[in-house]
Structures are given as structure tokens and as C-alpha cells.
Amino acid sequence: MTMRISRRAAIGFGAAAVTVAATPSGAVAAPGDGTITADGGMSPREVIRRTYRRQKARAGGVWRSHVAMVDESGALRTVLADDADRVTHGYSVQKLAVAVAAMDKIDRGELRLDQRLDLTADIILGGSGIYFLQTVWGDEVTVANFLTAMLLVSDNTAVRMCGRVVPALEINEILAAKGFTHTRVEPVANPNRFFLGVTTPRETHDLLWRLANKTLLSARSSDFLLGILRWINGYHDGIRRDMSSAERSRVATKYGADFDSSGAARHEVGIMFDATGAPTLTYAFFADSLGDLDNYGGTHPAVRAHAALGRTMFDTIARTTNPAPRARHSVQRFRPVNGG
């Protein structure tokens, strides 16, 4: 008999059980903007809410979500909050919080992006990523290298590399100091290893919004992380599936997937930028208790739902852009070389 081992189980070592706090389940909530525009059409926010309700019903499972978008005056307003304060396993979405902790140490001068660590066979993990594909190891890689791998291709070995420079307890201390109450990694017996832990949709929104507005980290560190999350070779089975290359480069996204005794989990969080480079919409979709456990591809019902939501949200920000003046975040354009 083949034993299933979840992706979460691969990352930690000697872990204790984690208790996930539960808050009362809430219906999809929205601010008091009208659902009908002056010309008789549906408001952009209502378009997103209706698409969400429809896609959630089709995909099934249990969803906990938060979407916010700037209005015509430049103020950020909640579009929907569906059980948005529920503490839930973030799975690979948590790699974003781990990266923030590492960049915080860089901002304080306690770590450098060009600092090198050895990549040895005993630290290699399979699952998602690239390092395990090498089959031989002994490299020296920079902090910048494994942070890029962790966010761009969700490399699991890179999580262990992060733990060598930012231990689990320090990650949690940094997140707490930045005002996050629930977003934590789960320490294990080895102080340099951890499970990826828990978060809430609302706190994930807060992290994304502050990152995009350069208030969570320095401008340089923010741009480093956002550049990876927006890059064309990143994940695009979900939110970015039905977008052109140029459109994808305006979406910073992070995906997480695993399963537990309740079923499969398929999460995706991110932030969309308008044509001027201003952050305009955040999304945090956490869905679990789903079927199709071993399907991590684009045909999973929840991933299909993400794709439909991504197209709807992106089309919506074309109608409501951020009028607030902001420094443009430039992203290098993808150009294939020799047809590659």
C-alpha cells in the first residue's frame, strides 16, 4: 500500500501538533457601496463578489477569503471578507512570511543577500522546487538565490536554507514585531527547521498591502520580493492563467497546496498593480476540505476557480485604477532567447 505524505510533513522535523484556532464562520461581507452603478451596470466590487460566490460554489470545500481594492478616491476598501479572521494552515503561502523575516534581517544589517551557504545532500527536500532535481549537490548558493527559488518555484529545500539564517523562533518574533498576531511558523525540535504554520486571510492581505506600499520592509527589499512574485516564470495555473505576459507581470502571486485529514487545500494570495505600477487590489483565497488530493495542476476545481477570479479581478482594476501618486515599480520584461 502506498502511503501519502503531505508536503507539510516533508518540511518539518520532529514537530509537535499545532492547534489551529477557530473563529465563528461568517458570510461574505462587503462594504456599503451600491451594487448598481449610475449607468445601470453592476459595480466592479459586486462583479467580484458575484464571481466569488459562483466559483466557490462550483469548487466546493471550505473557503476563507479576503479581497480589497482601492476606490475612485484612492482609499483601500474591502470588497469581500468571507471568514477572513479564521486561523488556517497557510502551507506554501507562508513562504512569503518567511521571506519577509529574512529580508527584515537584511534591512537591519544582520544578513546579506550575497551571503553564501553550502547546499548539501542532507538538507535536500523533494515536493516542489528545483534543487532536488540536481541529483548531486555541493553548491554554494547566496541568500538571494534560495529566496528566489522559494518564492518563484516554491522550493521546499529553500525553506530549510532560510531556517539556517533565520531560526523559527526568530521568524515568529519578527512577524510579531511587525504587528502580525496569527501569522507564524511552527517550531520543531531542531531550531533551524519548522513547519510553515498558520495565518489568516486578513493578515495576509495586510502583509501584501504593506509590502507593496513599502511600509513593511525597505523599498529595496520590497522591490526584491515583489520582482520575484511578479516574474513571468512564476506560478500561473491559478490567478494568472488567462492573462497575457504583460498582464501577468502586473500580478504578484504566491500559491500553496497540500492536504490533511479534511481533504485537499488550494490557496493563492497576491496583489495586482494598475497600468501605472500602483498597488490596486489584494486577494487572499484559502480553500480546504477539497477533493482531488493528488491533483496539483490547473484542472483542480479550486485552481480553476482561482483562474476565473483572476481574470475578473484584473478586468475590474482596469475600470478602477489607483489615482494616488506612487513610485512606479519596474519589472523587467520577459523576452525569450533563441525561441527558448
Side-chain angles (χ1 to χ4, degrees):
M1 181 177 67
T2 301
M3 180 181 294
R4 283 195 177 111
I5 300 177
S6 74
R7 295 183 176 193
R8 174 180 179 270
I11 293 176
F13 178 78
V18 63
T19 300
V20 180
T23 56
S25 178
V28 178
D33 61 322
T35 61
I36 304 298
T37 61
D39 61 2
M42 195 181 299
S43 74
R45 290 166 183 79
E46 183 60 16
V47 170
I48 293 173
R49 288 193 287 268
R50 290 195 181 190
T51 301
Y52 174 77
R53 289 192 292 265
R54 183 168 60 250
Q55 294 301 325
K56 173 184 172 181
R58 287 178 177 174
V62 177
W63 288 60
R64 299 157 182 124
S65 305
H66 188 282
V67 177
M69 184 173 64
V70 297
D71 63 16
E72 293 75 8
S73 69
L76 186 68
R77 298 182 63 184
T78 299
V79 174
L80 67 87
D82 185 2
D83 206 5
D85 296 308
R86 174 78 62 167
V87 180
T88 187
H89 287 294
Y91 299 120
S92 286
V93 163
Q94 295 290 93
K95 292 171 182 174
L96 181 55
V98 173
V100 165
M103 297 308 296
D104 181 79
K105 286 194 73 169
I106 289 170
D107 283 346
R108 290 183 282 114
E110 298 179 9
L111 187 65
R112 303 189 320 273
L113 280 176
D114 64 357
Q115 188 168 322
R116 294 177 180 272
L117 280 74
D118 55 337
L119 184 66
T120 54
D122 63 303
I123 205 170
I124 299 299
L125 280 175
S128 59
I130 54 173
Y131 291 131
F132 74 95
L133 295 170
Q134 293 181 194
T135 70
V136 295
W137 301 279
D139 319 49
E140 281 197 347
V141 298
T142 62
V143 172
N145 182 300
F146 60 74
L147 285 176
T148 301
M150 185 173 69
L151 294 183
L152 191 69
V153 293
S154 207
D155 194 286
N156 287 333
T157 298
V159 176
R160 286 185 168 180
M161 296 292 280
C162 282
R164 292 171 63 184
V165 295
V166 196
L169 292 179
E170 187 177 6
I171 291 172
N172 286 341
E173 289 171 358
I174 291 170
L175 294 171
K178 290 186 176 296
F180 298 106
T181 302
H182 303 294
T183 305
R184 299 287 188 271
V185 298
E186 179 189 345
V188 297
N190 183 333
N192 299 109
R193 299 216 179 150
F194 49 85
F195 286 142
L196 287 169
V198 296
T199 188
T200 72
R202 198 182 307 275
E203 286 200 352
T204 301
H205 147 77
D206 185 45
L207 184 151
L208 290 163
W209 187 248
R210 290 166 62 191
L211 179 66
N213 284 278
K214 318 297 174 66
T215 60
L216 186 66
L217 297 167
S218 69
R220 183 176 182 180
S221 292
S222 300
D223 284 342
F224 174 74
L225 296 185
L226 289 168
I228 298 167
L229 295 167
R230 292 174 66 172
W231 186 234
I232 193 69
N233 295 119
Y235 178 78
H236 43 71
D237 269 349
I239 293 293
R240 304 200 299 179
R241 182 194 301 181
D242 296 324
M243 297 183 187
S244 68
S245 296
E247 289 172 334
R248 287 174 177 172
S249 71
R250 287 169 49 190
V251 182
T253 202
K254 185 70 189 78
Y255 179 64
D258 209 328
F259 63 85
D260 60 18
S261 59
S262 69
R266 298 293 181 268
H267 306 332
E268 191 165 1
V269 308
I271 187 161
M272 295 183 175
F273 297 79
D274 70 15
T276 72
T280 302
L281 181 148
T282 66
Y283 57 89
F285 299 121
F286 293 84
D288 57 31
S289 303
L290 299 159
D292 219 358
L293 266 62
D294 295 320
N295 180 7
Y296 293 95
T299 60
H300 192 284
V303 179
R304 290 185 188 275
H306 294 163
L309 283 160
R311 186 68 256 176
T312 296
M313 292 187 300
F314 194 88
D315 289 343
T316 297
I317 67 169
R319 298 166 59 187
T320 307
T321 56
N322 189 349
R326 300 193 184 276
R328 184 179 179 86
H329 174 78
S330 62
V331 174
Q332 183 180 1
R333 290 192 178 277
F334 172 78
R335 300 190 190 285
V337 178
N338 295 328

